[in-house]
Structure formats: C-alpha cells, structure tokens
Amino acid sequence: MDKVTGMSGKSARLAILQAFADIILESGYEKVRVLDIVARSGVARSTFYEHFQSREDVLRDSMRGPFEILAQLAAPSCDIARVAATVNHFMENRALAKSVMGNPGTETLIDLLAESIEAQAGSAVPVLIARAAAGAQLAVISSWLDGKTACDANDVAHMLRKMSLALLM
C-alpha cells in the first residue's frame, strides 16, 4: 500500500504505467523522467522503485505483452490474426507507438523483442539473429506507422511473418 496515496500495489503499478503513457504522448519518450512519472501517477518515489528500476523498465513492462505476440512470428505455428490485431493496435495508438519506437527507446525495445523471439524460437536462434529479426520487425512497423506504405495490418503481419521466417530459419 502506498503510504502517500493509499493505493494498492496493483493500482500504483497501473497509475505508473498510465502516467508513463501520458507523458510520452505529451512530450515524447526522450523527455520521460522518473520524477515526472512519480508526480503524474501520484505514487511515492519509493513505490515507483518497488515496481520498476528505471523508465526503461517501465517501457519494457508496457511493451512486453504486444512483443510476446510479435515474437510468435518466429514460431513454426503462428496466429497471424493475433499478430495483425497487435499491429493494428500500434496503428490505433500511433503517436504513442512512434514515440517509443524512436530513439532512445529503440535499443530497449530491440532487447525486449529479441528476448521474446529467443524464448519462442528456442536455443536454435543465435542472439545476434534474434536481435536482427527484432530490429527488422520494428523497422517495418515504424515505416508502416509513418505511412510509407499503403497496406492494412493483415498485410503487415504477413510481411513480418515472411521476413521473420527468412531471418530465423
């Protein structure tokens, strides 16, 4: 329980994640500071550090779910409709997605996605190949979010699948 606000651990964690997203939308990822997240979320600084170690840790936590779905592109069987829904989610939240997928958040995201790809594909995928696949996936999604190609989320999901299989097999 946060002594400052009386929030439970789960409520405090959600407040931190929401504050993080709000700040990114207003100022961009590069401007996010832990002090700003604490102030916006209404939790004590110590409560922030009970849940997260840094802003990068908040970024990793907020992107873990969608990236675990993208990592399925590396698996022999892949639910392409689920990947398309995730890609579409990025488009629906384009401003937020573009901000976190740009520098300096990119390295953190590549690390997270590469870890998820390795977990899906198993030990058969070398770390460098998993990182290459992660970077390529993020590049395709970012280009699509920037409007550099006129296709829908399903088309992007299929492109990601073909590219991932080519890199990882």
Side-chain angles (χ1 to χ4, degrees), residues 47 55 79 90 97 113 132 134 157 165:
T47 300
R55 75 176 182 160
D79 184 351
F90 289 141
L113 185 51
L165 289 176

Side-chain angles (χ1 to χ4, degrees), residues 40-58:
R40 175 72 62 96
S41 66
V43 303
R45 191 169 186 194
S46 60
T47 300
F48 175 89
Y49 287 111
E50 285 175 21
H51 295 280
F52 302 101
Q53 295 176 11
S54 63
R55 75 176 182 160
E56 289 77 17
D57 199 23
V58 181

Side-chain angles (χ1 to χ4, degrees), residues 3-141:
K3 292 178 183 176
V4 173
T5 63
M7 280 189 229
S8 69
K10 186 175 181 180
S11 295
R13 186 177 192 82
L14 291 173
I16 291 166
L17 290 167
Q18 185 60 56
F20 177 74
D22 291 345
I23 295 167
I24 289 173
L25 285 171
E26 290 171 10
S27 307
Y29 177 75
E30 64 279 353
K31 303 276 185 178
V32 175
R33 298 179 319 146
V34 170
L35 289 175
D36 298 328
I37 297 169
V38 167
R40 175 72 62 96
S41 66
V43 303
R45 191 169 186 194
S46 60
T47 300
F48 175 89
Y49 287 111
E50 285 175 21
H51 295 280
F52 302 101
Q53 295 176 11
S54 63
R55 75 176 182 160
E56 289 77 17
D57 199 23
V58 181
L59 176 61
R60 290 174 64 86
D61 192 72
S62 65
M63 297 300 288
R64 188 172 322 283
F67 279 13
E68 286 175 354
I69 295 168
L70 289 179
Q72 290 176 6
L73 293 161
S77 61
C78 172
D79 184 351
I80 201 75
R82 194 164 181 219
V83 173
T86 300
V87 170
N88 193 55
H89 173 76
F90 289 141
M91 181 57 86
E92 290 170 351
N93 297 280
R94 180 178 26 233
L96 184 60
K98 284 175 61 172
S99 181
V100 298
M101 288 184 189
N103 287 326
T106 304
E107 277 304 307
T108 299
L109 294 178
I110 288 173
D111 289 344
L112 175 62
L113 185 51
E115 289 166 14
S116 295
I117 289 170
E118 287 178 85
Q120 276 294 328
S123 60
V125 175
V127 173
L128 290 176
I129 299 299
R131 286 187 55 76
Q137 286 182 9
L138 291 177
V140 167
I141 293 168

